[in-house]
């Protein structure tokens, strides 16, 4: 009973002996065919004991002649015809009469057959007789009968390669059971322009072997599951319907002759930007095609890695610029620092001390408190010190000493004070500070604060009591704002890269816009005013 | 015996650098945790007074908590389990814009592991800071070939920080007496007040710089740039060796990680390096 | 004495060239086996060949026939006319689906006496198809024993026999590259290019996906002018009967319909259908090869008298409750062909929204136009409309039903076609039924009167999976016989799988029926028909059917076009005249009105359904001469 039940849902196939396949069938004028589901082409798959199967019987004409034809099909012991009733003479015999008129005219009927469970495995003959125009022709075709248990024992999963290369071999250049996906940002950009490309998909190769006597068609199902909930993930898409819309699920069929090995490939793709890196489970199920139940399942962990190119590139960019900055500083130190007088060195040192006292120390204290309270949104408060007061000091210093090298000195001095007094040396700061210095020097150059006529003098060489045009102020504020926004973006990315942290895209943009651009933009004009007032003192 | 007494200032700087790079080079929680415990052990055996220990503890706890907080919100790896939602993704506008803001259980675990990186650098930094005089660190930095001009500026800064802090306190007190309260004044007012606070400090600094420059130039400053450095006691060779080995280890780990990253992202693969890929995946 | 380096190099090069020529001259491939049975000799070669390959044979006997058998089941027979009557005009073989198929033998009249030469490669291209990397000469069969027979590649003195065959390729015109070639895994034709010949047969025009209209001389394929439509794909083309105008429709953001001066190629007038149907701006974006669906597409350009008719359609993608939905939009138009003034349109105001629409047809006498609308999302079965082609007034309409067991709703993409005398109107439904209306009775009653319903491709259930096939095209012959073309096998919409377990017995076939539904003849082809052309003169009537790819069998040898001579008595085996194989898909083929020439467009297809690519074919128009022997 159990055995019968276990194979009762099997949809199976009829195997025809190749010998029975005619070079011309029963006669040169008419051809009989037996076809079973998924026996397309060679028509060679096996029939299972205790199963029901629809067989397509057809007679095709190859003459242009109206002919009345009668066909008698005698089924072997163990094979019974169930439906349709109009063609069944008795359970072991199928009869039909019809007329064919011309070449390629076909008569066909789907007949439901039942294979009795106690039938012995083996090869059986189906004989048929065609009567037309007073002539009678007889012929036999073969079919094979086997149990699902036998099929199960005959099919072996030799290899399940994840990922695979285009030839179906395991891709040794890649880590096993790992997919690599593009980062979310580029997926978002590309979601409107997805092209068929090998790089957009991962490949899986499955190698199967049929060691049995019978050919068989198998179905392969592949699913990726959420490790915790056990639910299939939604973003997996392989099939596309006729209109190009994604149909979830990945499956394919493979046909194996006796003693044949074959490799089939599955392509795993997704166009959904919600896909995520992480740990999943993957499961491959293999069963007889169109039958319920898989008799081979292979489950494994799957890791999906996201290729964070933005973060990696930011880190590389930062390292490169910092290195260039340091090298440049050493190579051009006489040009950079040679022009500074001792008074200017001292002033920069004092400024660095002020920056340390009023920026670094409060930031350190407040950062820890507000980070604990507000979490990642602490930048809204700490930005007041680390951005606003810092730029207030920096800009006023530049107005006082508008020349190259001042920013470099100031930033390095401040960093070293933090390193010496608080021990604040991290890999991030080592990479970050030189880059910051270089970028701010560049911003200074672009903004034009170097220019002699930025703060106009009268004919005698004294300062005019004129207001600096708003447009110039806004321009400087804009340049520094953009530069700081860029620096904020890079700093967050390299933090994410080195400390393996996650931040949402919207958070990054909020951080860049507020802490990076807005705070700086607001405070730069104030710094210029402050610097101007200080210049009075400096001159006096 | 105090552990940090074995280290010379230069060795302490090297220790900070090594710790900084160690913290970012490994993903193995055991390796990270082990080093963090090592740092904590060093700290606790450094002979630091209890007040400073409390400062350290507060800083570490706050840092750890802050990282856990942010990562539990932004955790973006599967699987992830929502503990509770701050903003539901169906909330009009904000929900769609942010995609929902939730606390994830796996984010808490992840945040804790990553927070150890900060813990390592923070502990090491504070350890050196509490057990070494600033001027000793500066001397050590100079011995490590820090450029003269930078050293000079830093030494000036070091010298005048207490003065600046005192001046700042005075000015801020004066502002408070005039009714300034930063917590209740929005964004622009504190900045304007900050400018007002800064102005006298900066003016003093400018005047100070003029005076100091006269003073140093009269002592022949600028002609021949040299620092007088007192003789340092001989460094512990065992510490030197250990630091050297640790440094080498960091470099090796960095190289292995780089190769592994290139392999993982299909940029570069060499069959001969498979043992390295396996090493990186399992241990680093 | 030291020889200068340059001289050494020169001598070496000369030696290589001479050696190469000598090798080629003496290079020959002989058959690896020769067998004989009942006076017929079979020489087995199994050799790939190229365009320059030549078959040389030596014998003293009189050659009755010499057949070349190729791996793609094609046979070329060089035959003396008196000998050929005894030989079958068809070659028989089995296709990938296991069906027995026939293919017309290419018959070339030849007079070989004694030694001879056949330009194997060139003749294959002229008469049979494209030589690709898989084409192999399997064997040579003849009634004589050859003292020597071999393949070679280079002959200094070559002989050529006199050759006459039914269809001969005389030239080709290359078209520009298309960004998105057809793909094998998509069951649609995908490249809807058209070719049209002028009534006098002197010119032909091509509307191409490469954004050009080409106007060429049909004698030698020389391009006379071309017209470029930036960022548009041309999908339909017609030359006016007087040969003065060329009408072309495009798929683009504007959905333009152009009238061009046939002499100069200049624009005479154009109409932008996007003003009525909308365009990409009102739709969500669609990815990949389906980006075109949101743009208006002007198809079915038909000229009758002084009126030109078109249909324009597009799809709008919207999001409803988080789900993407497609809204189909369409409209039909009738313009004065000279001035471009709109005579009428349907719907009169606005557009038909929310319904899929069929091909537009206009009767040969120019009196009636037909259009069918339907939608499976809204469960609207096909509704047939017949209009007065002059005014656009609806003369009658009919609401079809469906075979509910397998379909919620049926479709009728190929529309309602008119018989030549406009007596009958035929609609092919995707549920496998042909509904034939009596047009005269329908006009009288003001509603559709069914003459007959013929079940041709009703689904069959293979286990739990019903399989079906579509009637893709149909046309009436001049004798009011209905020719129906069927396409691939599919599973029905409710089926549990998209992979059909069986081929529907009536798939990829050409049927010819009378109005009572009796089968007159049938031909089993092997692929999805992309287009057809039926033309006749006083003596002849030819049916030309072009075939794209077969998504199930993926057999490249099925691409090409067939020519049937419908005047021949008997079944399809008697009617079939030629098959020409194209490596790429044949997207359209047309006859000239004098039935002397065929123009066929071939497009590139990616035959690999994995992320690898395997491009086959060339984007070109080939032209052929029909020779009646």
């Amino acid at each position: 009973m159990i055995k019968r039940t276990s194979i009762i849902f099997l949809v199976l196939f009829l195997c025809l002996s190749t010998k029975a396949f005619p070079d011309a069938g029963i006669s040169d004028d008419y051809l009989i065919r037996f076809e079973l589901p998924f026996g397309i082409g060679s028509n060679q798959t096996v029939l299972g004991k205790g199963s029901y199967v629809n067989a397509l019987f057809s007679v095709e004409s190859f003459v242009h002649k109206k002919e009345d034809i009668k066909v008698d099909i005698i089924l072997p012991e163990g094979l019974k015809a169930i439906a349709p009733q109009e063609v069944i003479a008795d359970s072991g015999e199928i009869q039909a009469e019809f007329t064919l008129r011309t070449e390629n005219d076909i008569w066909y009927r789907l007949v439901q057959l039942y294979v009795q469970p106690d039938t012995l495995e083996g090869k059986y003959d189906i004989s048929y007789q065609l009567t037309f125009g007073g002539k009678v022709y007889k012929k036999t075709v073969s079919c094979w009968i086997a149990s699902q248990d036998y099929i199960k024992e005959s099919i072996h999963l030799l290899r399940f390669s994840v990922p695979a290369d285009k030839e179906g071999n395991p891709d040794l250049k890649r880590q096993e059971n790992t997919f690599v996906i593009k980062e979310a940002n580029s997926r978002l950009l590309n979601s409107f322009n997805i092209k068929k490309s090998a790089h957009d998909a991962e490949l899986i190769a499955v190698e199967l072997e049929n060691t049995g006597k019978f050919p068989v068609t198998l179905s392969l199902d592949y699913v990726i599951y959420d490790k915790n909930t056990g639910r299939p993930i939604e973003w997996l898409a392989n099939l596309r319907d006729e209109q190009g819309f994604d149909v979830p699920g990945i499956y394919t069929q493979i046909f194996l002759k006796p003693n044949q090995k074959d490799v089939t490939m599955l392509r795993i793709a997704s166009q959904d930007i919600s896909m995520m890196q992480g740990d999943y489970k993957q499961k491959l199920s293999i069963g007889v095609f169109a039958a319920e139940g898989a008799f081979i399942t292979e489950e494994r962990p799957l890791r999906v890695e996201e290729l964070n190119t933005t973060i990696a590139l930011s880190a590389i960019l930062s390292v490169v610029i910092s290195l260039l900055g340091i090298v440049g500083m050493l190579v051009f130190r006489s040009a950079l620092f040679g022009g500074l007088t001792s008074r200017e060195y001292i002033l920069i040192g004092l400024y660095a001390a002020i920056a340390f006292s009023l920026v670094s120390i409060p930031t350190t204290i407040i950062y820890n408190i507000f980070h604990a309270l507000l979490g990642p949104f602490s930048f809204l408060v700490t930005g007041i010190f680390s951005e606003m007061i810092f730029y207030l000091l920096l800009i006023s210093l530049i107005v006082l000493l508008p020349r190259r090298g001042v920013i470099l000195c100031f930033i390095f001095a401040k960093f070293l004070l933090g390193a010496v007094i608080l021990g604040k040396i991290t890999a991030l700061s080592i990479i970050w500070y030189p880059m910051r210095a270089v970028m701010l020097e560049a911003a200074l150059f672009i903004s034009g604060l170097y220019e002699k006529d930025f703060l106009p003098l009268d004919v005698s060489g004294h300062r005019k009591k004129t207001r600096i045009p708003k447009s110039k102020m806004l321009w400087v504020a804009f340049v520094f704002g953009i530069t700081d926004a860029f620096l904020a973006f890079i700093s967050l990315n390299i933090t994410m890269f080195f400390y393996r942290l996650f931040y949402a895209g919207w958070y990054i943009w909020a951080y860049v816009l507020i802490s990076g651009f807005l705070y700086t933009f607001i405070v730069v004009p104030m710094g210029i005013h402050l610097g101007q007032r200080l210049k009075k003192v400096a001159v006096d | 015996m105090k552990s940090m007494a074995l280290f010379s200032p230069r060795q302490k700087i090297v220790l900070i650098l090594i710790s900084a790079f160690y913290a970012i080079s490994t993903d193995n929680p055991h390796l990270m945790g082990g080093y963090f415990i090592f740092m904590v052990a060093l700290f606790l055996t450094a002979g630091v007074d209890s007040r400073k220990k409390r400062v350290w503890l507060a800083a570490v706890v706050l840092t750890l908590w802050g990282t856990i907080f942010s990562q539990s919100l932004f955790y973006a790896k599967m699987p992830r389990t929502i503990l509770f939602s701050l903003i539901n993704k169906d909330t009009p506008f904000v929900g769609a814009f942010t995609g929902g803001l939730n606390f994830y259980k796996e984010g808490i675990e992840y945040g804790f592991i990553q927070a150890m990186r900060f813990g390592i650098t923070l502990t090491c930094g504070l350890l050196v800071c509490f057990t070494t005089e600033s001027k000793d660190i500066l001397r050590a930095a100079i011995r490590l070939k820090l450029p003269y001009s930078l050293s000079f500026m830093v030494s000036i800064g070091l010298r005048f920080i207490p003065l600046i802090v005192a001046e700042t306190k005075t000015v801020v007190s004066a502002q408070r007496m005039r009714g300034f309260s930063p917590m209740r004044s929005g964004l622009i007012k504190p900045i304007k007040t900050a400018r007002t606070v800064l102005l006298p400090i900066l003016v003093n600094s400018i005047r100070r710089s003029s005076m100091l420059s006269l003073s140093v130039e009269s002592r022949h400053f600028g002609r021949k740039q040299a620092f007088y450095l007192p003789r340092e006691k001989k460094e512990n060779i065992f510490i030197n060796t250990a630091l050297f080995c640790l440094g080498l280890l960091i470099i090796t780990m960095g190289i292995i990680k780089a190769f592994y990253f290139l392999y993982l992202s299909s940029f570069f693969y060499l069959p001969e390096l498979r043992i390295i890929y396996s090493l990186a995946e399992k241990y680093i | 004495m030291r020889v200068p380096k340059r001289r050494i190099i020169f001598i070496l090069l000369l030696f290589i060239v001479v050696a190469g020529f000598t090798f080629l001259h003496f290079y020959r491939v002989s058959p690896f086996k020769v067998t004989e049975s009942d006076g017929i000799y079979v020489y087995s070669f199994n050799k790939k060949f190229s365009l320059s390959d030549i078959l040389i044979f030596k014998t003293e006997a009189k050659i009755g026939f010499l057949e070349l058998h190729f791996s793609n089941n094609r046979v070329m027979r060089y035959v003396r006319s008196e000998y050929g009557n005894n030989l079958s005009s068809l070659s028989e073989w089995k296709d990938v689906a296991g069906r027995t198929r026939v293919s017309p033998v290419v018959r070339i009249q030849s007079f070989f006496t004694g030694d001879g030469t056949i330009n194997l490669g060139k003749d294959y291209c002229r008469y049979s198809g494209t030589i690709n990397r898989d084409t192999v000469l399997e064997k040579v069969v003849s009634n004589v024993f050859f003292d020597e027979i071999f393949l070679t590649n280079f002959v200094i003195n070559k002989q050529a026999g006199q050759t006459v065959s039914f269809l001969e390729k005389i030239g080709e015109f290359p078209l520009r590259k298309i960004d998105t070639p057809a793909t094998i895994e998509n069951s649609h034709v995908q490249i809807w290019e058209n070719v049209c010949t002028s009534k006098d047969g002197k010119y032909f025009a091509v509307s191409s996906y490469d954004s050009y209209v080409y106007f060429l001389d049909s004698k030698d394929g020389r391009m006379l002018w071309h017209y470029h439509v930036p960022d548009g794909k041309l999908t339909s083309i017609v030359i006016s009967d007087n040969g003065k105008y060329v009408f072309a429709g495009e798929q683009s953001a504007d959905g333009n319909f152009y009238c061009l001066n046939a002499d100069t190629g200049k624009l005479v007038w154009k109409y932008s259908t996007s003003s009525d149907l909308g365009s990409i701006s009102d739709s969500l974006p669609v990815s990949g090869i389906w980006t075109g669906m949101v743009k208006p597409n002007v198809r079915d350009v038909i000229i009758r008298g002084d009126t030109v008719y078109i249909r324009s359609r597009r799809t709008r993608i919207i999001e409803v409750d988080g789900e993407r939905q497609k809204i189909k939009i369409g409209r039909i138009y009738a313009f004065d062909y000279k001035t471009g003034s709109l005579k009428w349109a349907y719907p009169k105001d606005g557009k038909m929204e929310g319904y899929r629409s069929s091909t537009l047809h206009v009767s040969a006498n120019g009196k009636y136009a037909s259009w069918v609308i339907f939608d499976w999302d809204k469960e609207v079965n096909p509704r047939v409309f017949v209009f007065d082609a002059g005014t656009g007034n609806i003369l009658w309409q009919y609401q079809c039903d469906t075979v509910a067991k397998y379909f919620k709703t049926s479709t009728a993409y190929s529309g309602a076609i008119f018989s030549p005398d406009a007596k009958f109107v035929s609609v092919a439904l995707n549920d496998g039924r042909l509904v034939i209306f009596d047009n005269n009775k329908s006009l009288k009653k003001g509603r559709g009167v069914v003459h007959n319903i013929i079940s041709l491709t009703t689904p069959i259930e293979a286990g739990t999976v019903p399989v079906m096939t579509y009637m893709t095209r149909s046309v009436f012959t001049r004798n009011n016989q209905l020719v129906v073309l069927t396409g691939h096998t599919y599973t029905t919409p409710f089926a549990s799988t998209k992979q059909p377990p069986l081929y529907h017995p009536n798939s990829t076939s050409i049927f010819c029926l009378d109005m009572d539904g009796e089968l007159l003849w049938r031909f089993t082809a092997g692929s999805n028909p992309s287009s057809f052309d039926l033309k006749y003169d006083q003596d002849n009537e030819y049916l030309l059917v072009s075939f794209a790819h077969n998504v199930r069998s993926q057999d490249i040898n099925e691409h090409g076009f067939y020519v049937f001579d419908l005047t021949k008595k008997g079944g399809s085996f008697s009617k079939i005249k030629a098959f020409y194989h194209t490596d790429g898909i044949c997207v359209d083929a047309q006859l000239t009105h004098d039935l002397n020439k065929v123009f066929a467009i071939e497009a590139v297809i990616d035959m690999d359904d994995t992320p690898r690519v395997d491009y086959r074919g060339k984007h070109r128009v080939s032209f052929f001469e029909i020779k009646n022997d």
Side-chain angles (χ1 to χ4, degrees), chain C residues 416-467:
Chain C
I417 60 165
F418 294 93
S419 59
D421 55 8
K423 192 175 171 220
F424 296 104
V425 175
S426 168
V427 178
L429 301 174
N430 77 319
D431 60 16
R433 297 176 301 151
L434 272 168
V435 183
I436 300 177
F437 299 92
D438 186 318
N439 192 31
N440 294 336
K441 287 182 185 170
S442 303
L443 287 166
K444 277 188 193 142
K445 292 212 168 160
R447 57 176 169 82
V449 174
V450 176
H451 170 80
N452 197 1
I453 296 181
I454 304 164
S455 285
L456 195 62
T457 58
T458 322
I460 52 170
E461 273 183 84
T464 55
V465 183
V467 297

Side-chain angles (χ1 to χ4, degrees), chain B residues 193-258:
Chain B
T193 310
R195 207 175 50 181
T196 318
V197 165
L198 277 172
L199 192 59
I201 300 169
L202 291 171
V203 166
N204 283 343
S205 298
I206 291 168
R207 289 187 179 136
R208 206 170 280 136
S209 68
S210 303
M211 265 182 357
L212 277 171
S213 66
L214 283 169
S215 172
V216 298
E217 274 170 7
S218 69
R219 283 168 172 74
H220 214 238
F221 174 80
R223 298 280 175 222
K224 188 181 173 188
Q225 294 161 354
F227 257 106
Y228 168 69
L229 294 169
R231 203 196 291 209
E232 211 181 46
K233 66 177 182 185
K234 208 172 171 190
E235 286 171 345
N236 187 320
I237 194 157
F238 173 74
I239 302 282
N240 270 345
T241 314
L243 287 173
F244 177 76
C245 293
L246 210 53
L248 209 59
L249 178 69
I250 306 294
I251 292 169
T252 311
M253 272 164 58
I255 293 170
I256 291 174
K257 282 268 341 180

Side-chain angles (χ1 to χ4, degrees), chain A residues 415-465:
Chain A
F415 163 65
L416 285 166
L417 281 171
V420 162
I421 297 172
L422 294 178
K424 276 177 100 176
I425 304 176
T426 61
L428 203 70
S429 56
I430 290 168
I431 294 165
W432 164 247
Y433 273 96
M435 180 182 173
R436 192 183 199 190
V438 168
M439 296 303 300
L440 286 173
E441 282 283 359
L444 183 62
F445 179 74
I446 293 167
S447 67
L449 271 182
Y450 279 136
E451 290 167 20
K452 289 193 176 127
D453 63 351
F454 190 88
L455 298 169
L457 302 171
D458 64 16
V459 181
S460 63
H462 287 113
R463 274 181 346 275
K464 280 190 198 174
K465 285 186 183 173

Side-chain angles (χ1 to χ4, degrees), chain A residues 172-175 180 226 228 276-280 303 307 342-343 368 372 421 423 430 500 502 526, chain B residues 17 24 27 63 65 71 74 77-78 80 106 110 125 129 191 210 217 260 263-266 269 281:
Chain A
L172 297 172
K173 293 182 199 154
R174 302 271 312 278
Q175 186 159 43
V180 175
D226 182 317
N228 283 356
M276 246 189 262
Q277 61 175 330
D279 293 311
Y280 298 84
R303 187 148 68 122
L307 204 61
S342 52
R343 184 183 166 220
N368 281 322
I421 297 172
I430 290 168
R500 317 323 185 242
F502 294 110
M526 295 182 189
Chain B
L17 285 169
I24 61 168
D27 285 302
T63 304
W65 165 246
Q71 292 310 290
F74 293 127
K77 248 179 135 165
M78 287 293 280
R80 55 184 195 176
E106 290 82 1
Y110 185 82
C129 166
I191 300 301
S210 303
E217 274 170 7
Y260 181 67
Y263 158 65
L264 203 65
S265 34
S266 323
Y269 166 80
E281 194 206 348

Side-chain angles (χ1 to χ4, degrees), chain A residues 11 36-38 53-55 110 290, chain C residues 460-467 500-502:
Chain A
V11 175
L36 291 178
F38 310 110
V53 62
N54 281 12
L110 265 172
Chain C
I460 52 170
E461 273 183 84
T464 55
V465 183
V467 297
L502 287 170

Side-chain angles (χ1 to χ4, degrees), chain B residues 56-85:
Chain B
W56 164 77
L57 191 65
V60 165
V61 165
L62 287 172
T63 304
L64 250 70
W65 165 246
T67 312
I68 291 169
F69 189 166
S70 69
Q71 292 310 290
S72 62
L73 280 177
F74 293 127
Y75 186 68
K77 248 179 135 165
M78 287 293 280
R80 55 184 195 176
T81 320
I82 298 176
L83 288 174
F84 63 90
S85 285

